[in-house]
C-alpha cells in the first residue's frame, strides 16, 4: 500500500522492486476486503480504512470524470464506490462516492459510444458498470444489495 492509501501494482519476484504506481483495481479490491472484514469482525478500524482508501481513490479521477485505468479494470472501483456508499454512516462520503461512480460510468459510456470496443471484456465491464448504477437507483437493485450486504453484517451501521 502506498502512503496515500492506494495500492501499488506489484513486486518483482526477480528483484524485489515494488512498482509504486497505483491502479484502480488493486485499490478497489482492498476497499472491498476491508468492508467485508468490517462486517465480519465488527471492527470500526476496517470500516475506517475502507473509507480512507475510497477517499484516496479521488486521485484516480480524470478531468472528464473517468478513472485513470481502462474500464475493464476500473469497473471494480465503481463497484467499491457503491459498496462503501451503502455501508458508511458518513452521508457526505456516500453522496460523493455515488456521484464519483456515476461520473466515471457516464464518461466510460460516452467514450464507448464514440469508439465502441470489439473486446468482450470492455463491453462486459461497461455493462456491469451500467448495471451497478441501475441497481443503486432502483428499488429491486436496492433490495438485492440490502439482502446481500446484510449477510455477515455487524452493528457498524
Amino acid at each position: 500500500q502506498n502512503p496515500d492509501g492506494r495500492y501499488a501494482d506489484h513486486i518483482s519476484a526477480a528483484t524485489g522492486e515494488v512498482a509504486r504506481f497505483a491502479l484502480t483495481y488493486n485499490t478497489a479490491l482492498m476497499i472491498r476486503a476491508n468492508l467485508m472484514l468490517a462486517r465480519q469482525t465488527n471492527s470500526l478500524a476496517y470500516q475506517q480504512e475502507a473509507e480512507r482508501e475510497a477517499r484516496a481513490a479521488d486521485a484516480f479521477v480524470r478531468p472528464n470524470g473517468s478513472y485513470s485505468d481502462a474500464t475493464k479494470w476500473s469497473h471494480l472501483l465503481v463497484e467499491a464506490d457503491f459498496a462503501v456508499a451503502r455501508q458508511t454512516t458518513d452521508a457526505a462520503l456516500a453522496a460523493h462516492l455515488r456521484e464519483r461512480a456515476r461520473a466515471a460510468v457516464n464518461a466510460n459510456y460516452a467514450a464507448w459510444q464514440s469508439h465502441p470496443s470489439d473486446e468482450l471484456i470492455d463491453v462486459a465491464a461497461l455493462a456491469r458498470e451500467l448495471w451497478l448504477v441501475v441497481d443503486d437507483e432502483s428499488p429491486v437493485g436496492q433490495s438485492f444489495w440490502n439482502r446481500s450486504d446484510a449477510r455477515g453484517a455487524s452493528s457498524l451501521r
Side-chain angles (χ1 to χ4, degrees):
Q1 185 182 38
N2 290 335
D4 69 358
R6 297 179 302 148
Y7 284 82
D9 186 49
H10 67 276
I11 299 172
S12 169
T15 66
E17 182 180 345
V18 176
R20 287 282 171 204
F21 58 91
L23 295 172
T24 56
Y25 68 93
N26 292 338
T27 302
L29 294 174
M30 295 308 295
I31 290 169
R32 295 294 308 278
N34 277 301
L35 290 175
M36 287 186 252
L37 285 167
R39 284 197 311 266
Q40 291 296 317
T41 66
N42 200 28
S43 171
L44 187 57
Y46 288 120
Q47 179 69 33
Q48 290 169 336
E49 180 60 12
E51 292 175 12
R52 182 181 80 87
E53 293 163 352
R55 286 182 183 94
D58 279 343
F60 291 124
V61 179
R62 293 179 178 156
N64 72 350
S66 69
Y67 294 131
S68 57
D69 295 329
T71 306
K72 68 181 174 181
W73 306 117
S74 66
H75 70 96
L76 295 167
L77 188 53
V78 169
E79 179 183 39
D81 285 345
F82 284 124
V84 174
R86 289 190 309 270
Q87 191 164 314
T88 187
T89 58
D90 183 335
L93 177 60
H96 169 69
L97 295 176
R98 283 187 164 101
E99 180 181 323
R100 184 174 84 185
R102 285 185 179 92
V105 173
N106 287 337
N108 290 340
Y109 184 59
W112 184 84
Q113 285 180 306
S114 63
H115 301 308
S117 174
D118 293 332
E119 296 294 321
L120 179 58
I121 187 69
D122 296 331
V123 176
L126 179 59
R128 185 162 186 273
E129 286 185 345
L130 293 166
W131 183 6
L132 288 166
V133 170
V134 171
D135 270 358
D136 190 61
E137 295 176 355
S138 72
V140 171
Q142 292 166 4
S143 175
F144 167 80
W145 285 109
N146 285 338
R147 287 189 318 274
S148 177
D149 291 342
R151 283 189 226 123
S154 66
S155 61
L156 288 171
R157 293 185 209 186

